[in-house]
């Protein structure tokens, strides 16, 4: 396995692979995944965009992660801010790296790829905090939750509902730098 840092154009060149991994990891239907194409492409233009990818020896995408500097006016930022008390929003969102996606194909999980992607993505991030959202799940049944807890992420907002998704989500955060 090779872990590489991707520039925006690298992610865009592999957007079909990225969306396939996203669909497999999140168990989303094809119509929802197709709708994400434009959002993912737009994210590559956001300030502070960073991306990583895990590739096998045949250049097959095993996993990826990306994020950028969160800011006022961005959809996710505004949704999370609306769910937090003002002081919490100020602390978490003022100088924040928004971890938008971090996924590993289900058949490639359990080998430390998610951890490697997370640490590579956050290594060198200059923001004070990092936030992410993940579907609510029993701790014991979710590799993602175990990874986030193991790397020091704490609850910021629980059982939050984003428009357009019926599932409850947790918003998790931690201070940076990531030293685990």
């Amino acid at each position: 396995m090779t872990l590489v840092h991707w520039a925006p154009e690298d992610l865009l060149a592999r957007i079909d692979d990225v969306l396939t991994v996203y669909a497999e990891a999140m168990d989303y239907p094809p119509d929802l995944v197709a709708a994400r194409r434009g959002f993912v492409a737009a994210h590559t233009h956001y300030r502070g965009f960073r991306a990583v990818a895990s590739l096998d020896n045949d250049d097959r995408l095993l996993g990826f992660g990306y994020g950028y500097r969160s800011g006022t006016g961005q959809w996710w930022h505004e949704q999370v801010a609306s769910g937090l008390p003002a002081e919490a929003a100020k602390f978490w969102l003022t100088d924040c790296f928004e971890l938008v996606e971090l996924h590993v194909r289900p058949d490639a999980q359990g080998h430390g790829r998610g951890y490697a992607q997370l640490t590579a993505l956050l290594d060198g991030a200059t923001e004070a905090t990092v936030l992410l959202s993940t579907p609510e799940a029993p701790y014991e049944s979710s590799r993602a939750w175990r990874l986030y807890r193991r790397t020091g992420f704490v609850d910021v907002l629980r059982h939050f509902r984003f428009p357009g998704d019926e599932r409850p989500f947790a918003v998790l955060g931690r201070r940076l730098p990531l030293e685990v």
Side-chain angles (χ1 to χ4, degrees), residues 17-37:
D17 295 335
V18 163
L19 292 173
T20 297
V21 171
Y22 173 76
E24 290 177 8
M26 294 294 286
D27 195 27
Y28 277 145
D31 59 329
L32 186 129
V33 174
R36 293 287 302 165
R37 179 179 296 277

Side-chain angles (χ1 to χ4, degrees), residues 129-174:
T129 62
V130 56
L131 285 177
L132 62 87
S133 55
T134 190
E136 292 280 357
Y139 178 80
E140 297 79 18
S141 69
S142 170
R143 289 182 192 271
W145 272 89
R146 290 194 301 270
L147 170 64
Y148 300 139
R149 292 299 196 214
R150 190 173 73 243
T151 52
F153 282 83
V154 298
D155 295 346
V156 175
L157 188 59
R158 295 296 302 268
H159 304 285
F160 187 74
R161 299 210 183 247
F162 289 98
D165 197 322
E166 72 235 15
R167 297 171 306 163
F169 280 77
V171 176
L172 305 177
R174 64 159 289 141

Side-chain angles (χ1 to χ4, degrees), residues 3-12 14 18 40 43-44 46 48-54 61 63-69 97-102 116-123:
L3 182 68
V4 296
H5 287 269
W6 270 355
E9 57 271 15
D10 298 320
L11 186 143
L12 291 172
R14 302 283 300 261
V18 163
V40 172
H43 290 164
T44 65
Y46 282 26
F49 178 85
R50 302 165 59 93
V52 297
S54 297
L61 184 64
F64 72 96
Y66 78 84
Y68 43 76
R69 185 173 184 79
F97 182 82
E98 185 178 318
L99 179 55
V100 179
E101 304 293 351
L102 183 71
Q117 289 173 180
L118 177 65
T119 57
L121 188 59
L122 296 179
D123 184 41

Side-chain angles (χ1 to χ4, degrees), residues 82-135:
S82 74
L84 291 173
E87 283 302 309
K90 182 178 178 183
F91 174 82
W92 286 108
L93 290 165
T94 297
D95 185 19
C96 175
F97 182 82
E98 185 178 318
L99 179 55
V100 179
E101 304 293 351
L102 183 71
H103 302 290
V104 176
R105 287 180 185 273
D107 64 351
Q109 293 177 2
H111 303 284
R113 289 182 182 94
Y115 176 81
Q117 289 173 180
L118 177 65
T119 57
L121 188 59
L122 296 179
D123 184 41
T126 60
E127 293 81 7
T129 62
V130 56
L131 285 177
L132 62 87
S133 55
T134 190

